[in-house]
Amino acid sequence: MPPRLTLPPSRAVLALLAAAFVLPGLIGHDPWKSFDAVAIEIASQMHRTGDWLVPRIAGEPWLEDPPFYHWTAAAFVKLLAWAVPVHAAVRLASGVFVLAALWFAYLAARHWAPRENRRLAGATAMLVLAGSVGLMVHAHEAVPDLAALAASCAAFVFLGRATRKPLGSGLAFGAALGAAFLSAGWVAPAAPGLAALATVLSCDSLRNRGGAVFLLAAAAVAAAVSASWPVALYAREAALAQQWWAGLAQPRGALGANLRYFAVTASWFTWPAWPIAAWTLWSARRSLREPRLFAPLAGLVFAAGAAAYAGPPQDISLVPLLPPLALLAAQGIGGLKRGAAHALDWFAVMTFGFFAALVWLGYVAMTTGWPPRIARNFAKTAPGFVQGIEPASLALAAVLLAGWLYVALFTAPSPARGVLRWAAGVALLWGSFAALWMPWADYQKSYRGVALQLKSRIPGEAGCIAREGMGLPQRAALSYHAGIRTAPSRSQCRYVIIQGSPREERGAPGPGWRKLADVGRPGDKAERYRLYQRLP
């Protein structure tokens, strides 16, 4: 019998699990909509043009997010373009940010926990963060919020050190807040920043001269780092800076609608962090003034309020909730009731065992044609796709399955066994999908074929090409794959690309125009791209 895995797991085991979760799926597919294609195009434009100050999509400024993530991604492109495609290099930057977030969550929980529980708390925070359902897919996309997630986790590390080294910790805390702001706007740094202020004002151990030094140092550095890019942008293009500022202060979505959306979405997005965090707060309700509980609780409240106020109602907006929830869960895992711990344990094994079996069954159906009904369903959604057997991918999926079976069958009893098996199950499910189903998914989701078909029908001297009904991710994908740049108005253009439905041709230019192309992705029942040329 193999030796039992004792808990809390060692750093080597945590590192293996983090790598198994983060690395699969970063390289082996084209940009997908919507966040993925947008961020990859921005980093690609920075690499091609050398302009790192103004994020652009197909040559047009795009100021939805500040550019810290895109700077890092463009640096990865510059370093790795000789070895991997641009989109793979960009996603590797995402992988580094996720690994950094996991490491910082581990350190933060260790700093906050009592000495006898530090190993357990650190491992739990990392496992809960890695096992968050909402992070399973987004952790493998080109998403600026991942940089903000890493910065927020780092901020909680330095907040935990405020009592020992107030000046140095304050400087580092402020730099983390500034990095979070330059990654995803003001919502991400608001949670740890306001939590630090509330903690210093409310907790006796920090309501002193050291706490004041910490806050002043943090505020100075955070302001300087946050203002660096806006000031540089204003100095070069004041109109764009004013446009960015107006968008930054503008809420997206009504407060009530945002609250309803986030309340429902957070129930699965932050699982299993939120029920364990809720247990922590209940079981330690008489000790909530302690910084180890007060700081993450304040961060959670401020993160939820800021997300509901600012919007938009998208699941990615809930990422700032994950660090404080992971820290709260880490502080209470040791006292989790045996029944609740066993329920999470059982649910993790059954859930991921079932879904991993479905992934393998689907792979067998795609490669062998059996069972025939399942094989027909795969063929129907991806017409023309032929699944081949790739030994490296098959070996990766087999290794992940073997590792998960070991964790499921040979882990010693512990309150943390449920979160370990859950995180291992997330790594198994995503890794199996990335290894076995990724070619099939990429065949349907990639815009490479659409972009190249359109480019082949556009003459080299086409000049202006207009667009109608085309979404932002589609514009980014056409520019990335084929260098197609479109204008918002067709009044001065001889060519126009209209995005519409496969079933009906809406928005056709009418007389005086000739259709040159009518293309779409395989099996796509929602999008069709039609190219027209104005007749002389």
mmCIF file with all atom_site columns, all heavy atoms in Angstrom, residues 188-203:
data_model
loop_
_atom_site.group_PDB
_atom_site.id
_atom_site.type_symbol
_atom_site.label_atom_id
_atom_site.label_alt_id
_atom_site.label_comp_id
_atom_site.label_asym_id
_atom_site.label_entity_id
_atom_site.label_seq_id
_atom_site.pdbx_PDB_ins_code
_atom_site.Cartn_x
_atom_site.Cartn_y
_atom_site.Cartn_z
_atom_site.occupancy
_atom_site.B_iso_or_equiv
_atom_site.pdbx_formal_charge
_atom_site.auth_seq_id
_atom_site.auth_comp_id
_atom_site.auth_asym_id
_atom_site.auth_atom_id
_atom_site.pdbx_PDB_model_num
ATOM 1  N N   . ALA A 1 188 ? -10.482 46.578 -6.910 1.00 0.00 ? 188 ALA A N   1
ATOM 2  C CA  . ALA A 1 188 ? -9.558  45.580 -6.364 1.00 0.00 ? 188 ALA A CA  1
ATOM 3  C C   . ALA A 1 188 ? -8.768  46.101 -5.160 1.00 0.00 ? 188 ALA A C   1
ATOM 4  O O   . ALA A 1 188 ? -8.673  45.406 -4.137 1.00 0.00 ? 188 ALA A O   1
ATOM 5  C CB  . ALA A 1 188 ? -8.609  45.087 -7.455 1.00 0.00 ? 188 ALA A CB  1
ATOM 6  N N   . PRO A 1 189 ? -8.166  47.294 -5.201 1.00 0.00 ? 189 PRO A N   1
ATOM 7  C CA  . PRO A 1 189 ? -7.440  47.765 -4.019 1.00 0.00 ? 189 PRO A CA  1
ATOM 8  C C   . PRO A 1 189 ? -8.342  48.318 -2.925 1.00 0.00 ? 189 PRO A C   1
ATOM 9  O O   . PRO A 1 189 ? -7.872  48.522 -1.795 1.00 0.00 ? 189 PRO A O   1
ATOM 10 C CB  . PRO A 1 189 ? -6.532  48.862 -4.575 1.00 0.00 ? 189 PRO A CB  1
ATOM 11 C CG  . PRO A 1 189 ? -7.262  49.385 -5.765 1.00 0.00 ? 189 PRO A CG  1
ATOM 12 C CD  . PRO A 1 189 ? -7.952  48.195 -6.367 1.00 0.00 ? 189 PRO A CD  1
ATOM 13 N N   . ALA A 1 190 ? -9.617  48.588 -3.232 1.00 0.00 ? 190 ALA A N   1
ATOM 14 C CA  . ALA A 1 190 ? -10.504 49.168 -2.220 1.00 0.00 ? 190 ALA A CA  1
ATOM 15 C C   . ALA A 1 190 ? -10.684 48.232 -1.038 1.00 0.00 ? 190 ALA A C   1
ATOM 16 O O   . ALA A 1 190 ? -10.704 48.668 0.121  1.00 0.00 ? 190 ALA A O   1
ATOM 17 C CB  . ALA A 1 190 ? -11.859 49.504 -2.838 1.00 0.00 ? 190 ALA A CB  1
ATOM 18 N N   . ALA A 1 191 ? -10.812 46.926 -1.315 1.00 0.00 ? 191 ALA A N   1
ATOM 19 C CA  . ALA A 1 191 ? -11.074 45.976 -0.228 1.00 0.00 ? 191 ALA A CA  1
ATOM 20 C C   . ALA A 1 191 ? -9.923  45.909 0.770  1.00 0.00 ? 191 ALA A C   1
ATOM 21 O O   . ALA A 1 191 ? -10.121 46.164 1.974  1.00 0.00 ? 191 ALA A O   1
ATOM 22 C CB  . ALA A 1 191 ? -11.388 44.604 -0.810 1.00 0.00 ? 191 ALA A CB  1
ATOM 23 N N   . PRO A 1 192 ? -8.689  45.576 0.353  1.00 0.00 ? 192 PRO A N   1
ATOM 24 C CA  . PRO A 1 192 ? -7.612  45.548 1.355  1.00 0.00 ? 192 PRO A CA  1
ATOM 25 C C   . PRO A 1 192 ? -7.265  46.925 1.901  1.00 0.00 ? 192 PRO A C   1
ATOM 26 O O   . PRO A 1 192 ? -6.874  47.051 3.068  1.00 0.00 ? 192 PRO A O   1
ATOM 27 C CB  . PRO A 1 192 ? -6.430  44.934 0.593  1.00 0.00 ? 192 PRO A CB  1
ATOM 28 C CG  . PRO A 1 192 ? -6.729  45.154 -0.847 1.00 0.00 ? 192 PRO A CG  1
ATOM 29 C CD  . PRO A 1 192 ? -8.218  45.125 -0.969 1.00 0.00 ? 192 PRO A CD  1
ATOM 30 N N   . GLY A 1 193 ? -7.401  47.974 1.086  1.00 0.00 ? 193 GLY A N   1
ATOM 31 C CA  . GLY A 1 193 ? -7.070  49.308 1.563  1.00 0.00 ? 193 GLY A CA  1
ATOM 32 C C   . GLY A 1 193 ? -8.001  49.773 2.666  1.00 0.00 ? 193 GLY A C   1
ATOM 33 O O   . GLY A 1 193 ? -7.560  50.224 3.738  1.00 0.00 ? 193 GLY A O   1
ATOM 34 N N   . LEU A 1 194 ? -9.314  49.672 2.437  1.00 0.00 ? 194 LEU A N   1
ATOM 35 C CA  . LEU A 1 194 ? -10.269 50.074 3.471  1.00 0.00 ? 194 LEU A CA  1
ATOM 36 C C   . LEU A 1 194 ? -10.234 49.120 4.657  1.00 0.00 ? 194 LEU A C   1
ATOM 37 O O   . LEU A 1 194 ? -10.468 49.527 5.797  1.00 0.00 ? 194 LEU A O   1
ATOM 38 C CB  . LEU A 1 194 ? -11.671 50.132 2.874  1.00 0.00 ? 194 LEU A CB  1
ATOM 39 C CG  . LEU A 1 194 ? -11.892 51.232 1.828  1.00 0.00 ? 194 LEU A CG  1
ATOM 40 C CD1 . LEU A 1 194 ? -13.284 51.116 1.210  1.00 0.00 ? 194 LEU A CD1 1
ATOM 41 C CD2 . LEU A 1 194 ? -11.694 52.613 2.448  1.00 0.00 ? 194 LEU A CD2 1
ATOM 42 N N   . ALA A 1 195 ? -9.947  47.842 4.398  1.00 0.00 ? 195 ALA A N   1
ATOM 43 C CA  . ALA A 1 195 ? -9.823  46.890 5.501  1.00 0.00 ? 195 ALA A CA  1
ATOM 44 C C   . ALA A 1 195 ? -8.657  47.270 6.406  1.00 0.00 ? 195 ALA A C   1
ATOM 45 O O   . ALA A 1 195 ? -8.750  47.151 7.643  1.00 0.00 ? 195 ALA A O   1
ATOM 46 C CB  . ALA A 1 195 ? -9.630  45.479 4.949  1.00 0.00 ? 195 ALA A CB  1
ATOM 47 N N   . ALA A 1 196 ? -7.553  47.703 5.834  1.00 0.00 ? 196 ALA A N   1
ATOM 48 C CA  . ALA A 1 196 ? -6.412  48.133 6.646  1.00 0.00 ? 196 ALA A CA  1
ATOM 49 C C   . ALA A 1 196 ? -6.766  49.337 7.501  1.00 0.00 ? 196 ALA A C   1
ATOM 50 O O   . ALA A 1 196 ? -6.431  49.395 8.695  1.00 0.00 ? 196 ALA A O   1
ATOM 51 C CB  . ALA A 1 196 ? -5.222  48.450 5.740  1.00 0.00 ? 196 ALA A CB  1
ATOM 52 N N   . LEU A 1 197 ? -7.453  50.308 6.907  1.00 0.00 ? 197 LEU A N   1
ATOM 53 C CA  . LEU A 1 197 ? -7.862  51.489 7.675  1.00 0.00 ? 197 LEU A CA  1
ATOM 54 C C   . LEU A 1 197 ? -8.788  51.102 8.818  1.00 0.00 ? 197 LEU A C   1
ATOM 55 O O   . LEU A 1 197 ? -8.600  51.550 9.964  1.00 0.00 ? 197 LEU A O   1
ATOM 56 C CB  . LEU A 1 197 ? -8.553  52.480 6.735  1.00 0.00 ? 197 LEU A CB  1
ATOM 57 C CG  . LEU A 1 197 ? -9.123  53.747 7.387  1.00 0.00 ? 197 LEU A CG  1
ATOM 58 C CD1 . LEU A 1 197 ? -8.004  54.565 8.037  1.00 0.00 ? 197 LEU A CD1 1
ATOM 59 C CD2 . LEU A 1 197 ? -9.872  54.588 6.358  1.00 0.00 ? 197 LEU A CD2 1
ATOM 60 N N   . ALA A 1 198 ? -9.781  50.265 8.536  1.00 0.00 ? 198 ALA A N   1
ATOM 61 C CA  . ALA A 1 198 ? -10.717 49.854 9.581  1.00 0.00 ? 198 ALA A CA  1
ATOM 62 C C   . ALA A 1 198 ? -10.021 49.042 10.662 1.00 0.00 ? 198 ALA A C   1
ATOM 63 O O   . ALA A 1 198 ? -10.325 49.181 11.860 1.00 0.00 ? 198 ALA A O   1
ATOM 64 C CB  . ALA A 1 198 ? -11.856 49.041 8.953  1.00 0.00 ? 198 ALA A CB  1
ATOM 65 N N   . THR A 1 199 ? -9.077  48.203 10.278 1.00 0.00 ? 199 THR A N   1
ATOM 66 C CA  . THR A 1 199 ? -8.374  47.374 11.259 1.00 0.00 ? 199 THR A CA  1
ATOM 67 C C   . THR A 1 199 ? -7.514  48.229 12.188 1.00 0.00 ? 199 THR A C   1
ATOM 68 O O   . THR A 1 199 ? -7.483  48.013 13.404 1.00 0.00 ? 199 THR A O   1
ATOM 69 C CB  . THR A 1 199 ? -7.506  46.330 10.542 1.00 0.00 ? 199 THR A CB  1
ATOM 70 O OG1 . THR A 1 199 ? -8.328  45.538 9.683  1.00 0.00 ? 199 THR A OG1 1
ATOM 71 C CG2 . THR A 1 199 ? -6.809  45.424 11.528 1.00 0.00 ? 199 THR A CG2 1
ATOM 72 N N   . VAL A 1 200 ? -6.812  49.184 11.622 1.00 0.00 ? 200 VAL A N   1
ATOM 73 C CA  . VAL A 1 200 ? -5.975  50.059 12.452 1.00 0.00 ? 200 VAL A CA  1
ATOM 74 C C   . VAL A 1 200 ? -6.840  50.874 13.417 1.00 0.00 ? 200 VAL A C   1
ATOM 75 O O   . VAL A 1 200 ? -6.470  51.086 14.582 1.00 0.00 ? 200 VAL A O   1
ATOM 76 C CB  . VAL A 1 200 ? -5.130  50.982 11.552 1.00 0.00 ? 200 VAL A CB  1
ATOM 77 C CG1 . VAL A 1 200 ? -4.452  52.071 12.377 1.00 0.00 ? 200 VAL A CG1 1
ATOM 78 C CG2 . VAL A 1 200 ? -4.085  50.173 10.797 1.00 0.00 ? 200 VAL A CG2 1
ATOM 79 N N   . LEU A 1 201 ? -7.997  51.323 12.970 1.00 0.00 ? 201 LEU A N   1
ATOM 80 C CA  . LEU A 1 201 ? -8.864  52.131 13.817 1.00 0.00 ? 201 LEU A CA  1
ATOM 81 C C   . LEU A 1 201 ? -9.604  51.311 14.870 1.00 0.00 ? 201 LEU A C   1
ATOM 82 O O   . LEU A 1 201 ? -10.003 51.845 15.906 1.00 0.00 ? 201 LEU A O   1
ATOM 83 C CB  . LEU A 1 201 ? -9.882  52.886 12.955 1.00 0.00 ? 201 LEU A CB  1
ATOM 84 C CG  . LEU A 1 201 ? -9.322  53.933 12.001 1.00 0.00 ? 201 LEU A CG  1
ATOM 85 C CD1 . LEU A 1 201 ? -10.438 54.554 11.179 1.00 0.00 ? 201 LEU A CD1 1
ATOM 86 C CD2 . LEU A 1 201 ? -8.554  55.010 12.766 1.00 0.00 ? 201 LEU A CD2 1
ATOM 87 N N   . SER A 1 202 ? -9.793  50.012 14.616 1.00 0.00 ? 202 SER A N   1
ATOM 88 C CA  . SER A 1 202 ? -10.663 49.208 15.481 1.00 0.00 ? 202 SER A CA  1
ATOM 89 C C   . SER A 1 202 ? -9.930  48.225 16.382 1.00 0.00 ? 202 SER A C   1
ATOM 90 O O   . SER A 1 202 ? -10.484 47.819 17.405 1.00 0.00 ? 202 SER A O   1
ATOM 91 C CB  . SER A 1 202 ? -11.677 48.434 14.622 1.00 0.00 ? 202 SER A CB  1
ATOM 92 O OG  . SER A 1 202 ? -12.428 49.309 13.801 1.00 0.00 ? 202 SER A OG  1
ATOM 93 N N   . CYS A 1 203 ? -8.747  47.795 16.011 1.00 0.00 ? 203 CYS A N   1
ATOM 94 C CA  . CYS A 1 203 ? -8.049  46.743 16.755 1.00 0.00 ? 203 CYS A CA  1
ATOM 95 C C   . CYS A 1 203 ? -6.952  47.353 17.628 1.00 0.00 ? 203 CYS A C   1
ATOM 96 O O   . CYS A 1 203 ? -6.128  48.155 17.153 1.00 0.00 ? 203 CYS A O   1
ATOM 97 C CB  . CYS A 1 203 ? -7.454  45.716 15.799 1.00 0.00 ? 203 CYS A CB  1
ATOM 98 S SG  . CYS A 1 203 ? -8.712  44.875 14.794 1.00 0.00 ? 203 CYS A SG  1
#
